[in-house]
Amino acid sequence: MKNFSYYRPKTAEQAVALLDDKWGTTELLAGGTDLLDLQKEYIAQPDKVITLRDVGINQLRLDGLDKKPDDFILGAGMTLAEIAAHRGLKDAFPALTTAAGDIGGPQIRNMGTLGGNLCQRNRCWYFRDEHTPCLLKGGDKCFAIDGENRYHAIFTQGHKCVMVNPSTLAPVLIALGASAEVMGPKGKRTVKLADFFHAPSSASEREHVLKPNELVLSVTIPYHHLKNASYEVRHKQSYDWPLVQAAVAFKYEDNKATDVRIVLGHVAPTPHVAEAAAKALEGKEVTEATASAAGEAAAQGAMPLSQNAYKVKLVAVAVKRALLTAAGHKKYWEV
Ligand SMILES: Cc1cc2nc3c(=O)[nH]c(=O)nc-3n(C[C@H](O)[C@H](O)[C@H](O)COP(=O)(O)OP(=O)(O)OC[C@H]3O[C@@H](n4cnc5c(N)ncnc54)[C@H](O)[C@@H]3O)c2cc1C
Ligand code: SF4
């Protein structure tokens, strides 16, 4: 690991003032579960590391009446374990607590934070290998397109880099209509999570739209009483990223789903909003047949790479199961 100076600011303003306005020379440190790996592999080589430990962004706040909150405001420093275990979040947003509870293992969840989860770097093995100069490390080639690409994107159109966004909280937060409060040198701004992610194609870009001298303070989830669920297809139960994930949210009155949102994870360089799938279900009862049809619609337009066509089928399965779970159907796939 390259030597660096360590800073421990007391406020978010002080942290922002320490950040440079270009990527690479300064890094924020939250739980360190991603950043330290990147430093040990020489993928990240910052001169300054700025811990967020003391800046006061670890709390959950409820806006509105105590018993009937309108908004849940999650500090970016909340750990994944705290999110997974929170009773109020579990009741309102089971999609979020399930997704948080399935990440990594207990050690990762006890250290990893919400802000770090949204801003973590991608897991493409070429990117993570110090010696492979791909597009995101200043090279002129994506090695995955003609290489080992079984865990890469299937929605590849228009993308020079075909990694998948690694966050499983991101699709859920987008489906729930969440937004992030961000602080930079000119003050605070609000970014919808739907607009937060970016498909990078060079070393001067990240997987999100934050500027190098901005940080996430909190994420606000509006409470609209939506039915919601997240379903992941994984190789094995723990210590692995999903192969495919579907996050869904919808109003369900008189057995009719309206305001349907379906967002896929781990299939594209950004979370993938499946508009055709949402449209296929709008105004209908959630049954095995309608959930299947939405699943098939979600996979439309996929252009898989040489080794990952299997993910197309998984998309249909994940969407169907997420919809049935959210609507309260018996989980026939669990014995
Ligand atoms: C074995 C393993 C399995 C995993 N499985 C999954 C999985 O299934 N799904 C999933 O989503 N993730 C998974 N992860 C990733 C894990 O969720 C992230 O490592 C973790 O959430 C990062 O949080 P952190 O606080 O440790 O971030 P750090 O490592 O401290 O930071 C990560 C990045 O985010 C930036 N950052 C941190 N906080 C902020 C902020 N407030 N504002 C702006 N930038 C910030 C940092 O500068 C850094 O670039 C897994 C990790 C491991 C090691
Ligand atoms: S998918 Fe992206 S990160 Fe992976 S080799 Fe290609 S350019 Fe690099």
Side-chain angles (χ1 to χ4, degrees), residues 200-219:
S201 58
S202 74
S204 59
E205 297 167 76
R206 291 256 163 133
E207 290 80 351
H208 50 70
V209 299
L210 291 187
K211 299 196 178 80
N213 51 9
E214 288 184 319
L215 65 85
V216 181
L217 294 172
S218 62
V219 170

Side-chain angles (χ1 to χ4, degrees), residues 68-136:
K68 284 184 73 184
D70 297 322
D71 287 335
F72 286 70
I73 305 169
L74 285 68
M78 278 185 84
T79 65
L80 303 171
E82 285 167 344
I83 293 171
H86 192 277
R87 165 62 46 204
L89 289 175
K90 241 180 214 172
D91 290 344
F93 312 119
L96 180 69
T97 53
T98 306
D102 281 346
I103 290 174
Q107 294 92 336
I108 302 296
R109 294 195 292 273
N110 282 324
M111 290 303 292
T113 64
L114 171 60
N117 184 273
L118 299 176
C119 298
Q120 61 179 302
R121 300 305 315 264
N122 76 81
R123 306 303 300 191
C124 170
W125 34 41
Y126 297 108
F127 176 71
R128 295 264 162 177
D129 174 30
E130 181 194 345
H131 304 290
T132 308
C134 81
L135 290 178
L136 300 197

Side-chain angles (χ1 to χ4, degrees), residues 5-56:
S5 307
Y6 179 71
Y7 294 82
R8 197 163 173 168
K10 296 276 178 259
T11 64
E13 286 82 356
Q14 287 172 6
V16 165
L18 285 162
L19 287 168
D20 289 345
D21 59 5
K22 62 176 189 306
W23 288 117
T25 49
T26 52
E27 288 286 352
L28 293 167
L29 173 70
T33 59
D34 187 32
L35 181 62
L36 296 186
D37 267 5
L38 292 164
Q39 288 185 268
K40 284 192 258 179
E41 300 296 334
Y42 290 92
I43 311 300
Q45 300 191 35
D47 302 317
K48 287 193 245 173
V49 171
I50 301 150
T51 179
L52 294 172
R53 179 182 286 265
D54 297 334
V55 305

